[in-house]
Amino acid sequence: MADGLNCPEEFKLKPHSVLPRGKPCVVCILDGFGENKHKDQYNAVHSARTPNVDKLRANAQRCRFVQAHGTWVGLPSDDDMGNSEVGHNAIGSGKVYKQGASLVDAALESGDLFKGDGFNHVKQAFVAGGTLHLIGLLSNGGVHARYEQLKQLFRGSFEAGAKRIRLHVLTDGRDVPDGTSIEFVGQLEKDLEDLRAKGCDALIASGGGRMHVTMDRYEADWGIVERGWKAHVLGEAPHKFTSAVEAVTELRKLPKANDQFLEPFVIVDEKTGDAVGTIQDNDAVVLFNYRSDRMVEISKAFEYENFTSFDRVRYPKNLKFAGMLQYDGDLKLPANYLVPPPFIEKTSGEYMVKNGLSIFACSETQKFGHVTFFWNGNRSGYFDEKRETYVEIPSDKCPFNEKPDMKTREITEAGIAALKSGRYDLLRINYASPDMVGHTGSLEATIRACETCDKCLGELLAEVDKLGGVYLVCSDHGNADDMVQRNKKAGQPL
């Protein structure tokens, strides 16, 4: 399988002293399957029947628990939760880099953000009289965005000459407790009032829940992005209000409503009924999320003139568009961004292919990018297409608690088939269900997800053993291990 005869000297690896050559190595990520000190009924990992993981844990010589959040993975503070993107960057590269929030914090603190090419690009629009539109997640969860960064961004933009600013906010309820949307919107209204007192025409213009409006990922459901385009750009939504606080308060009263899935809304002028912040020709748009996966699709809608994933109806001309970061390095998307991305080179995947090893990577849509793009250092595509096979199993298009097994069975079948083929030296497998079902908040469904994951893991590892191979089973961060909000001091469920 491996030859590595033409491997550059800087990438050349010595034979491992223990691991067998010519046998497959499987790295299996149980996404969101964390270790937690609270081993009660709200810990789905603890409550689930997981004989295969239990067997692995029982081997004290080979089982280790490591930190997957905060400064251990390059995030600014140890209060910052780990996430799949940061986790797969770290696992794939074997190194710790400053990550999204840290990069943005540093750029804001130094003022470099307001001096760079990206900001100067959008500045062309608002110094000429155009409106600056800011679109992103209204949250301090630290996974996709931070409220303090948003506040510094619109204040700094005003100081740099923006006289008219419109906010298009997506409510969270996933990285922060459900129901906090009202609190975040209320605080934003107060901060915008302070900005208006200084002479800036600053208003909230539109919004909706993050899982229903704008923030789709991996092209799982373009309808989510289309709803965002209609609200943010066209000023069209099924719900119209004269204030954002009223919007989130009233929409949360709808049946089964929660912050993640709030209906799209548009803010209108009390007198005229017109939308207060449609995106027009010659305006500027900044996506203020720093995490990439849920900004790629909306970036394509703004950036690509020949865009066909949905009918945009109207495409603003001469738009000055930028992301907080560049969300896809290979696609150069977006072309303009406020903060340069982390430079992650010499990832494990690159080392492997340059040493003549063949790689198989597989997950379902929701985590496919994690075992490819994020694993490879935020890089799309292959290092060597002849030596790499990437398999994506399409995820179900429904709330994941309704089908908590997700595509765990299909991923396992694909992995076993790849092992039996004898074609691959290294196999990367990601089971998405503990994390994605955990995000729904359904304890019963998450327990089921963990149990199915464990069963399929056992089948996968049994095949590795038959072939005399080796495996590394790990997680990228926690989630399913704590399914309740807790008192921070005592740890008691609230």
Side-chain angles (χ1 to χ4, degrees):
M1 288 186 285
D3 54 60
L5 296 177
N6 300 314
C7 179
E9 194 63 34
E10 62 178 318
F11 283 94
K12 193 167 291 185
L13 298 173
K14 296 178 181 178
H16 198 280
S17 60
V18 176
L19 297 181
R21 299 184 69 180
K23 299 292 184 179
C25 175
V26 173
V27 179
C28 186
I29 297 95
L30 312 181
D31 213 291
F33 194 103
E35 170 68 11
N36 199 295
K37 64 182 180 181
H38 301 296
K39 291 178 171 54
D40 56 22
Q41 69 267 37
Y42 302 108
N43 182 335
V45 173
H46 171 71
S47 299
R49 295 181 296 274
T50 55
N52 293 296
V53 170
D54 293 346
K55 184 178 178 181
L56 296 176
R57 288 174 183 262
N59 190 333
Q61 291 184 317
R62 296 191 176 182
C63 178
R64 297 289 185 275
F65 297 109
V66 298
Q67 302 288 358
H69 70 286
T71 55
W72 285 280
V73 289
L75 295 168
S77 78
D78 292 338
D79 290 329
D80 290 313
M81 294 186 295
N83 61 67
S84 296
E85 291 67 39
V86 168
H88 282 76
N89 274 170
I91 297 169
S93 68
K95 297 180 276 274
V96 176
Y97 287 83
K98 276 191 174 181
Q99 288 289 346
S102 296
L103 294 170
V104 177
D105 285 343
L108 286 166
E109 184 177 351
S110 67
D112 289 346
L113 184 149
F114 300 105
K115 302 171 186 175
D117 293 341
F119 189 79
N120 285 330
H121 173 70
V122 299
K123 187 176 179 179
Q124 296 175 67
F126 62 72
V127 296
T131 301
L132 172 61
H133 298 267
L134 304 177
I135 302 173
L137 188 68
L138 187 63
S139 171
N140 63 3
V143 177
H144 292 269
R146 280 182 163 182
Y147 182 71
E148 278 301 312
Q149 292 178 353
L150 171 60
K151 187 163 65 173
Q152 288 178 266
L153 179 59
F154 62 66
R155 285 178 174 175
S157 297
F158 169 64
E159 292 172 1
K163 301 299 183 186
R164 191 172 191 268
I165 300 176
R166 292 295 181 265
L167 282 294
H168 305 267
V169 298
L170 304 166
T171 54
D172 192 351
R174 180 164 169 157
D175 301 326
V176 295
D178 183 45
T180 54
S181 58
I182 298 173
E183 175 186 339
F184 282 113
V185 170
Q187 184 59 54
L188 177 57
E189 289 283 25
K190 290 179 181 177
D191 290 329
L192 293 181
E193 185 178 354
D194 292 341
L195 204 60
R196 289 193 292 271
K198 297 177 181 178
C200 182
D201 177 7
L203 298 169
I204 299 174
S206 70
R210 56 176 286 176
M211 297 299 288
H212 190 59
V213 180
T214 304
M215 284 177 58
D216 185 44
R217 67 176 173 188
Y218 307 145
E219 301 189 8
D221 186 353
W222 275 103
I224 292 173
V225 187
E226 184 176 13
R227 284 189 283 272
W229 183 271
K230 288 180 177 179
H232 311 326
V233 179
L234 307 180
E236 298 176 1
H239 306 279
K240 297 184 178 182
F241 301 90
T242 56
S243 84
V245 171
E246 178 192 13
V248 294
T249 301
E250 292 303 314
L251 290 175
R252 280 189 54 80
K253 295 178 182 178
L254 295 177
K256 298 183 179 181
N258 60 51
D259 287 351
Q260 292 189 60
F261 289 91
L262 280 191
E263 289 286 315
F265 64 86
V266 168
I267 304 304
V268 298
D269 184 89
E270 190 171 358
K271 295 180 180 178
T272 66
D274 296 332
V276 301
T278 56
I279 299 175
Q280 299 294 326
D281 296 349
N282 305 309
D283 280 352
V285 172
V286 171
L287 305 181
F288 60 82
N289 284 17
Y290 44 74
R291 180 166 142 179
S292 62
D293 56 344
R294 295 189 184 275
M295 290 287 99
V296 169
E297 290 172 54
I298 188 65
S299 293
K300 289 179 178 179
F302 277 116
E303 186 117 316
Y304 294 164
E305 187 170 350
N306 298 317
F307 175 85
T308 59
S309 296
F310 60 84
D311 182 4
R312 292 177 295 188
V313 182
R314 177 174 60 82
Y315 180 54
K317 298 176 182 178
N318 193 33
L319 192 71
K320 303 302 181 185
F321 170 65
M324 180 65 84
L325 299 172
Q326 186 170 70
Y327 301 124
D328 189 318
D330 273 15
L331 295 176
K332 309 299 182 187
L333 183 73
N336 296 281
Y337 43 91
L338 305 190
V339 181
F343 184 60
I344 301 179
E345 60 176 349
K346 295 184 176 180
T347 62
S348 62
E350 187 173 10
Y351 269 103
M352 298 302 173
V353 297
K354 288 188 183 300
N355 280 270
L357 300 173
S358 296
I359 293 174
F360 175 84
C362 178
S363 188
E364 61 180 278
T365 302
Q366 290 296 322
K367 299 294 180 178
F368 174 69
H370 295 79
V371 288
T372 55
F373 175 83
F374 292 108
W375 188 285
N376 291 334
N378 305 327
R379 180 187 187 278
S380 291
Y382 301 89
F383 290 111
D384 184 343
E385 195 166 357
K386 293 180 181 179
R387 295 194 176 279
E388 295 174 278
T389 299
Y390 296 166
V391 175
E392 175 184 357
I393 310 294
S395 290
D396 297 315
K397 293 185 178 181
C398 67
F400 297 121
N401 57 302
E402 293 181 4
K403 294 183 178 180
D405 292 348
M406 295 184 66
K407 297 300 179 183
T408 308
R409 168 60 53 195
E410 291 85 345
I411 294 168
T412 305
E413 292 171 354
I416 290 175
L419 282 166
K420 288 181 175 179
S421 75
R423 293 173 52 199
Y424 304 104
D425 300 286
L426 178 69
L427 295 88
R428 305 194 300 252
I429 304 291
N430 179 298
Y431 289 136
S433 57
D435 190 39
M436 298 309 299
V437 180
H439 279 309
T440 70
S442 172
L443 179 61
E444 181 180 0
T446 307
I447 291 173
R448 166 64 184 257
C450 292
E451 292 180 346
T452 302
C453 187
D454 181 82
K455 184 176 187 299
C456 288
L457 173 67
E459 295 172 12
L460 181 69
L461 299 189
E463 190 62 36
V464 179
D465 286 336
K466 284 181 186 178
L467 297 171
V470 295
Y471 51 77
L472 170 65
V473 179
C474 64
S475 184
D476 52 346
H477 63 93
N479 184 7
D481 51 291
D482 203 3
M483 299 288 294
V484 68
Q485 296 297 322
R486 296 182 183 272
N487 178 295
K488 289 189 177 181
K489 291 185 178 181
Q492 296 298 318
L494 298 176

